[in-house]
Amino acid sequence: MTKSLIQIIKEAEKKRVAVGHFNVANLEMLKAVSHVAERLQLPVIIGTSEGERGFLGIHHSVDLIASYNKEHAKGSGYTLFLNADHTYSLDKVKDAAEVGYDSIIFDGGKLPFEENVQQTKKAVQIAKKINPEIVVEGELGYIGQSSKVLKELPEGAAIRLEDLPTPEQAEQFVRETGVDMLAPAVGNVHGMLSGASNPNLQIERIREIKDAAKVPLVLHGGSGVSDEDFVAAINAGISIIHISTELRVAWRKSFEEALKNNPEEIASYKLTPEVIEKMEKVIENRLRLFNKL
Ligand code: G3H
Ligand code: ZN
Protein backbone atom coordinates (compact mmCIF):
# COMPACT_ATOMS: atom_id res chain seq x y z
CA MET A 1 0.00 0.00 0.00
CA THR A 2 1.27 3.47 -0.83
CA LYS A 3 2.40 5.45 2.20
CA SER A 4 0.85 8.80 2.95
CA LEU A 5 2.93 11.97 3.00
CA ILE A 6 2.75 12.22 6.79
CA GLN A 7 3.97 8.60 7.13
CA ILE A 8 6.91 9.36 4.83
CA ILE A 9 7.79 12.47 6.84
CA LYS A 10 7.55 10.65 10.18
CA GLU A 11 9.83 7.92 8.82
CA ALA A 12 12.35 10.53 7.67
CA GLU A 13 12.15 12.16 11.12
CA LYS A 14 12.93 8.83 12.80
CA LYS A 15 15.72 7.90 10.40
CA ARG A 16 17.26 11.39 10.62
CA VAL A 17 17.14 11.93 6.87
CA ALA A 18 15.29 14.63 4.92
CA VAL A 19 12.72 14.36 2.15
CA GLY A 20 13.69 16.50 -0.84
CA HIS A 21 11.25 19.19 -2.03
CA PHE A 22 11.83 20.68 -5.50
CA ASN A 23 9.84 23.48 -7.11
CA VAL A 24 8.86 22.90 -10.71
CA ALA A 25 7.42 25.21 -13.35
CA ASN A 26 7.56 23.07 -16.47
CA LEU A 27 7.56 19.50 -17.71
CA GLU A 28 11.35 19.34 -18.02
CA MET A 29 11.81 20.12 -14.31
CA LEU A 30 9.16 17.57 -13.36
CA LYS A 31 10.77 14.93 -15.59
CA ALA A 32 14.18 15.61 -14.06
CA VAL A 33 12.87 15.17 -10.50
CA SER A 34 10.90 12.09 -11.48
CA HIS A 35 13.87 10.41 -13.21
CA VAL A 36 16.05 10.83 -10.12
CA ALA A 37 13.30 9.73 -7.72
CA GLU A 38 12.83 6.61 -9.82
CA ARG A 39 16.55 5.92 -10.09
CA LEU A 40 17.07 6.28 -6.33
CA GLN A 41 13.65 4.83 -5.41
CA LEU A 42 12.82 7.74 -3.14
CA PRO A 43 9.70 9.68 -2.26
CA VAL A 44 10.02 13.33 -3.31
CA ILE A 45 7.82 16.39 -2.88
CA ILE A 46 7.04 18.53 -5.90
CA GLY A 47 6.37 22.14 -4.93
CA THR A 48 4.46 24.75 -6.86
CA SER A 49 4.49 28.30 -5.54
CA GLU A 50 1.48 30.55 -6.19
CA GLY A 51 3.24 31.80 -9.35
CA GLU A 52 4.24 28.34 -10.53
CA ARG A 53 0.79 26.90 -10.05
CA GLY A 54 -0.79 29.96 -11.63
CA PHE A 55 1.24 29.11 -14.72
CA LEU A 56 0.81 25.31 -14.61
CA GLY A 57 -2.80 25.36 -13.45
CA ILE A 58 -3.80 23.67 -10.19
CA HIS A 59 -5.93 20.97 -11.81
CA HIS A 60 -3.22 20.15 -14.34
CA SER A 61 -0.63 19.98 -11.54
CA VAL A 62 -2.68 17.48 -9.53
CA ASP A 63 -3.45 15.37 -12.62
CA LEU A 64 0.18 15.37 -13.74
CA ILE A 65 1.47 14.14 -10.40
CA ALA A 66 -1.25 11.47 -10.24
CA SER A 67 -0.33 10.20 -13.70
CA TYR A 68 3.41 10.15 -12.86
CA ASN A 69 2.62 8.04 -9.79
CA LYS A 70 0.41 5.73 -11.83
CA GLU A 71 3.15 5.26 -14.37
CA HIS A 72 6.18 4.94 -12.08
CA ALA A 73 5.19 4.05 -8.49
CA LYS A 74 4.21 0.40 -8.92
CA GLY A 75 4.77 -0.69 -5.29
CA SER A 76 8.29 0.76 -5.19
CA GLY A 77 9.97 3.47 -3.09
CA TYR A 78 9.05 6.10 -5.69
CA THR A 79 6.20 8.45 -4.87
CA LEU A 80 5.73 12.04 -5.87
CA PHE A 81 3.72 14.26 -3.51
CA LEU A 82 2.36 17.66 -4.43
CA ASN A 83 2.77 20.70 -2.18
CA ALA A 84 1.09 24.11 -2.54
CA ASP A 85 4.21 26.06 -1.63
CA HIS A 86 4.14 29.52 0.02
CA THR A 87 0.43 30.22 -0.01
CA TYR A 88 -0.35 33.73 1.16
CA SER A 89 -4.16 33.86 1.10
CA LEU A 90 -6.85 31.74 2.70
CA ASP A 91 -8.70 31.58 -0.65
CA LYS A 92 -5.70 29.91 -2.25
CA VAL A 93 -5.47 27.48 0.69
CA LYS A 94 -9.06 26.48 -0.04
CA ASP A 95 -8.39 26.11 -3.79
CA ALA A 96 -5.36 23.86 -3.28
CA ALA A 97 -7.14 21.68 -0.71
CA GLU A 98 -10.18 21.30 -2.94
CA VAL A 99 -8.27 20.15 -6.01
CA GLY A 100 -6.33 17.53 -4.07
CA TYR A 101 -2.89 18.86 -3.13
CA ASP A 102 -1.18 16.60 -0.55
CA SER A 103 0.09 19.52 1.50
CA ILE A 104 -0.14 23.28 1.85
CA ILE A 105 2.21 25.85 3.28
CA PHE A 106 0.43 28.85 4.69
CA ASP A 107 3.07 31.56 4.73
CA GLY A 108 2.45 34.19 7.36
CA GLY A 109 6.18 34.57 7.99
CA LYS A 110 6.10 38.29 7.28
CA LEU A 111 3.17 38.97 9.63
CA PRO A 112 3.50 39.98 13.29
CA PHE A 113 3.52 36.86 15.50
CA GLU A 114 -0.09 37.08 16.79
CA GLU A 115 -1.52 37.76 13.33
CA ASN A 116 0.52 34.89 11.89
CA VAL A 117 -0.95 32.59 14.57
CA GLN A 118 -4.52 33.72 13.82
CA GLN A 119 -4.19 33.42 10.01
CA THR A 120 -2.34 30.10 10.10
CA LYS A 121 -4.91 28.66 12.49
CA LYS A 122 -7.65 29.61 10.01
CA ALA A 123 -5.65 28.05 7.16
CA VAL A 124 -5.37 24.78 9.09
CA GLN A 125 -9.12 24.76 9.80
CA ILE A 126 -10.06 25.50 6.19
CA ALA A 127 -7.71 22.88 4.71
CA LYS A 128 -8.53 20.11 7.21
CA LYS A 129 -12.28 20.64 6.81
CA ILE A 130 -11.90 19.92 3.10
CA ASN A 131 -9.39 17.09 3.54
CA PRO A 132 -8.61 15.85 7.08
CA GLU A 133 -5.53 14.02 5.73
CA ILE A 134 -3.91 17.10 4.21
CA VAL A 135 -0.59 18.17 5.72
CA VAL A 136 -0.40 21.85 6.68
CA GLU A 137 2.83 23.71 7.35
CA GLY A 138 3.29 27.11 8.99
CA GLU A 139 6.12 29.63 8.69
CA LEU A 140 7.80 31.45 11.53
CA GLY A 141 10.17 34.31 10.74
CA TYR A 142 10.77 36.10 7.44
CA ILE A 143 13.43 34.70 5.06
CA GLY A 144 12.63 36.57 1.82
CA GLN A 145 10.20 35.54 -0.88
CA SER A 146 12.07 34.96 -4.14
CA SER A 147 13.96 32.01 -5.54
CA LYS A 148 16.50 33.98 -7.51
CA VAL A 149 20.16 34.88 -7.67
CA LEU A 150 20.57 37.67 -5.11
CA LYS A 151 22.90 40.68 -5.08
CA GLU A 152 22.31 41.08 -1.35
CA LEU A 153 20.39 39.40 1.45
CA PRO A 154 16.59 39.94 1.27
CA GLU A 155 15.56 43.13 3.09
CA GLY A 156 14.14 42.41 6.52
CA ALA A 157 15.16 38.75 6.52
CA ALA A 158 15.82 37.26 9.97
CA ILE A 159 19.43 36.11 9.92
CA ARG A 160 21.04 37.11 13.21
CA LEU A 161 20.47 34.75 16.12
CA GLU A 162 18.65 37.45 18.11
CA ASP A 163 16.13 37.97 15.27
CA LEU A 164 15.23 34.28 14.82
CA PRO A 165 12.08 32.76 16.30
CA THR A 166 12.66 31.38 19.78
CA PRO A 167 11.86 27.81 20.88
CA GLU A 168 9.07 29.26 23.09
CA GLN A 169 7.48 31.01 20.09
CA ALA A 170 7.76 27.81 18.03
CA GLU A 171 6.03 25.78 20.74
CA GLN A 172 3.24 28.36 21.12
CA PHE A 173 2.80 28.68 17.35
CA VAL A 174 2.42 24.92 16.82
CA ARG A 175 0.12 24.51 19.83
CA GLU A 176 -2.20 27.37 18.90
CA THR A 177 -2.37 26.85 15.14
CA GLY A 178 -2.47 23.05 14.95
CA VAL A 179 0.05 22.90 12.06
CA ASP A 180 1.52 19.49 11.22
CA MET A 181 4.93 20.91 10.37
CA LEU A 182 6.89 24.06 11.03
CA ALA A 183 9.32 26.05 8.87
CA PRO A 184 11.28 28.35 11.19
CA ALA A 185 13.81 30.98 10.13
CA VAL A 186 17.14 29.53 11.24
CA GLY A 187 19.65 31.60 9.27
CA ASN A 188 18.33 30.38 5.89
CA VAL A 189 17.15 32.70 3.08
CA HIS A 190 15.22 32.20 -0.13
CA GLY A 191 17.55 32.56 -3.09
CA MET A 192 21.26 32.33 -3.56
CA LEU A 193 23.84 35.10 -3.19
CA SER A 194 25.78 35.62 -6.42
CA GLY A 195 29.15 36.81 -5.16
CA ALA A 196 29.29 35.06 -1.78
CA SER A 197 28.08 32.04 0.15
CA ASN A 198 24.71 32.12 1.86
CA PRO A 199 24.84 32.70 5.64
CA ASN A 200 25.49 29.67 7.82
CA LEU A 201 22.54 27.95 9.40
CA GLN A 202 22.03 28.28 13.15
CA ILE A 203 22.20 24.58 13.94
CA GLU A 204 21.77 24.92 17.71
CA ARG A 205 18.57 26.95 17.18
CA ILE A 206 17.21 24.17 14.93
CA ARG A 207 17.84 21.67 17.73
CA GLU A 208 16.16 23.88 20.35
CA ILE A 209 13.13 24.55 18.15
CA LYS A 210 12.81 20.87 17.31
CA ASP A 211 12.81 19.96 21.02
CA ALA A 212 10.20 22.60 21.80
CA ALA A 213 7.89 22.34 18.77
CA LYS A 214 7.79 18.53 18.62
CA VAL A 215 6.64 18.45 14.98
CA PRO A 216 8.66 17.77 11.81
CA LEU A 217 10.72 20.81 10.79
CA VAL A 218 11.14 22.07 7.23
CA LEU A 219 14.16 23.95 5.90
CA HIS A 220 13.34 26.45 3.16
CA GLY A 221 15.89 28.27 1.05
CA GLY A 222 18.07 25.21 0.51
CA SER A 223 19.94 26.67 -2.49
CA GLY A 224 23.40 27.91 -1.56
CA VAL A 225 23.54 26.01 1.75
CA SER A 226 26.77 24.04 2.28
CA ASP A 227 26.78 20.24 2.43
CA GLU A 228 28.11 20.40 6.01
CA ASP A 229 25.25 22.65 7.10
CA PHE A 230 22.69 20.37 5.45
CA VAL A 231 24.01 17.31 7.28
CA ALA A 232 24.16 19.16 10.60
CA ALA A 233 20.64 20.57 10.07
CA ILE A 234 19.22 17.12 9.34
CA ASN A 235 20.94 15.69 12.40
CA ALA A 236 19.50 18.56 14.47
CA GLY A 237 15.92 17.83 13.36
CA ILE A 238 15.14 18.98 9.79
CA SER A 239 12.91 16.47 7.94
CA ILE A 240 12.18 18.25 4.62
CA ILE A 241 14.48 20.48 2.55
CA HIS A 242 13.30 22.88 -0.18
CA ILE A 243 15.39 23.57 -3.29
CA SER A 244 14.35 25.92 -6.06
CA THR A 245 16.96 28.51 -7.15
CA GLU A 246 19.63 25.89 -7.89
CA LEU A 247 17.22 24.10 -10.23
CA ARG A 248 16.19 27.35 -11.93
CA VAL A 249 19.85 28.26 -12.48
CA ALA A 250 20.60 24.78 -13.89
CA TRP A 251 17.57 25.06 -16.21
CA ARG A 252 18.58 28.46 -17.57
CA LYS A 253 22.28 27.69 -18.03
CA SER A 254 21.72 24.33 -19.70
CA PHE A 255 18.93 25.69 -21.89
CA GLU A 256 21.18 28.50 -23.14
CA GLU A 257 23.91 25.94 -23.84
CA ALA A 258 21.50 23.66 -25.70
CA LEU A 259 20.39 26.56 -27.91
CA LYS A 260 24.00 27.53 -28.58
CA ASN A 261 25.03 23.95 -29.42
CA ASN A 262 22.07 23.38 -31.73
CA PRO A 263 21.49 26.67 -33.56
CA GLU A 264 19.24 25.15 -36.24
CA GLU A 265 17.10 22.93 -34.00
CA ILE A 266 13.44 23.88 -33.70
CA ALA A 267 12.02 20.70 -32.15
CA SER A 268 11.97 21.45 -28.42
CA TYR A 269 11.93 17.78 -27.41
CA LYS A 270 15.28 17.32 -29.17
CA LEU A 271 16.85 20.19 -27.24
CA THR A 272 15.54 19.45 -23.78
CA PRO A 273 17.04 16.01 -22.97
CA GLU A 274 20.41 17.64 -22.22
CA VAL A 275 18.64 20.28 -20.11
CA ILE A 276 16.90 17.56 -18.13
CA GLU A 277 20.15 15.68 -17.66
CA LYS A 278 21.89 18.73 -16.19
CA MET A 279 19.02 19.37 -13.79
CA GLU A 280 19.08 15.69 -12.77
CA LYS A 281 22.67 16.12 -11.60
CA VAL A 282 21.66 18.92 -9.22
CA ILE A 283 18.70 16.92 -7.92
CA GLU A 284 20.62 13.67 -7.51
CA ASN A 285 23.45 15.32 -5.55
CA ARG A 286 20.97 16.90 -3.20
CA LEU A 287 18.82 13.78 -2.76
CA ARG A 288 21.84 11.58 -2.04
CA LEU A 289 23.00 14.03 0.62
CA PHE A 290 19.55 14.48 2.21
CA ASN A 291 18.94 10.73 2.33
CA LYS A 292 22.48 9.82 3.43
CA LEU A 293 22.96 7.53 0.40
O1 G3H B 1 9.95 27.02 -1.10
C1 G3H B 1 10.94 27.06 -1.85
C2 G3H B 1 12.24 27.20 -1.31
O2 G3H B 1 12.32 27.41 0.02
C3 G3H B 1 13.42 27.24 -2.16
O3 G3H B 1 14.41 28.12 -1.74
O4 G3H B 1 15.20 28.96 -3.93
O5 G3H B 1 16.57 29.21 -1.89
O6 G3H B 1 16.26 26.98 -2.92
P1 G3H B 1 15.69 28.34 -2.68
ZN1 ZN C 1 10.40 28.30 0.62
Side-chain angles (χ1 to χ4, degrees):
M1 215 185 82
T2 332
K3 290 175 188 162
S4 67
L5 177 57
I6 200 72
Q7 278 175 303
I8 296 283
I9 296 163
K10 295 274 176 201
E11 276 181 22
E13 196 181 26
K14 232 189 235 157
K15 287 195 276 184
R16 291 279 154 147
V17 297
V19 181
H21 172 295
F22 298 90
N23 286 73
V24 308
N26 61 31
L27 197 57
E28 286 76 26
M29 287 170 152
L30 178 56
K31 272 181 180 285
V33 178
S34 175
H35 287 164
V36 181
E38 192 168 24
R39 199 149 60 229
L40 302 182
Q41 288 295 300
L42 287 173
V44 177
I45 304 169
I46 298 290
T48 61
S49 64
E50 285 189 355
E52 287 159 342
R53 60 191 191 262
F55 172 72
L56 292 167
I58 49 175
H59 290 96
H60 290 319
S61 303
V62 170
D63 290 351
L64 256 176
I65 298 305
S67 84
Y68 265 75
N69 281 326
K70 200 168 157 203
E71 182 80 20
H72 303 282
K74 308 209 165 63
S76 62
Y78 171 108
T79 312
L80 298 187
F81 294 96
L82 184 60
N83 173 46
D85 203 12
H86 298 290
T87 305
Y88 299 101
S89 74
L90 297 175
D91 282 347
K92 286 203 162 61
V93 167
K94 184 168 171 278
D95 292 345
E98 277 175 351
V99 296
Y101 270 71
D102 297 298
S103 57
I104 298 176
I105 295 173
F106 180 75
D107 188 349
K110 212 174 180 178
L111 302 173
F113 182 79
E114 282 306 332
E115 207 179 328
N116 189 6
V117 169
Q118 292 318 317
Q119 290 292 308
T120 307
K121 188 175 172 181
K122 281 188 195 151
V124 172
Q125 286 166 348
I126 291 167
K128 300 266 183 193
K129 195 169 171 203
I130 296 164
N131 173 12
E133 304 298 312
I134 203 162
V135 177
V136 184
E137 175 186 329
E139 304 266 327
L140 208 45
Y142 180 65
I143 63 161
Q145 284 179 338
S146 306
S147 285
K148 60 182 181 189
V149 178
L150 306 164
K151 288 193 179 63
E152 54 196 27
L153 289 172
E155 207 189 319
I159 308 290
R160 294 177 311 173
L161 194 57
E162 56 269 35
D163 298 329
L164 304 183
T166 63
E168 293 71 29
Q169 285 173 326
E171 187 279 328
Q172 185 188 345
F173 184 83
V174 170
R175 178 167 39 81
E176 292 187 7
T177 59
V179 289
D180 302 294
M181 308 196 293
L182 177 67
V186 286
N188 48 330
V189 289
H190 280 133
M192 208 160 65
L193 284 170
S194 59
S197 321
N198 277 23
N200 283 336
L201 301 178
Q202 300 286 350
I203 302 299
E204 206 36 51
R205 182 55 55 92
I206 296 175
R207 210 183 312 278
E208 292 163 356
I209 289 181
K210 175 71 183 174
D211 284 348
K214 298 191 171 36
V215 289
L217 298 186
V218 182
L219 181 72
H220 284 255
S223 299
V225 171
S226 69
D227 286 7
E228 297 70 33
D229 264 10
F230 274 136
V231 172
I234 295 166
N235 290 337
I238 293 290
S239 304
I240 295 178
I241 299 176
H242 283 229
I243 301 280
S244 177
T245 308
E246 287 180 1
L247 203 55
R248 290 179 171 189
V249 169
W251 168 79
R252 167 121 197 177
K253 273 193 184 158
S254 54
F255 194 40
E256 279 174 355
E257 252 170 56
L259 290 171
K260 211 166 110 200
N261 296 341
N262 305 275
E264 307 295 330
E265 188 56 71
I266 59 165
S268 68
Y269 68 92
K270 291 185 182 169
L271 284 170
T272 46
E274 49 188 289
V275 178
I276 295 170
E277 213 178 291
K278 293 270 168 51
M279 289 193 286
E280 282 180 35
K281 288 210 172 92
V282 173
I283 298 160
E284 181 160 349
N285 282 339
R286 288 314 191 197
L287 282 179
R288 284 191 180 278
L289 187 74
F290 299 165
N291 289 279
K292 301 186 174 161
L293 297 177

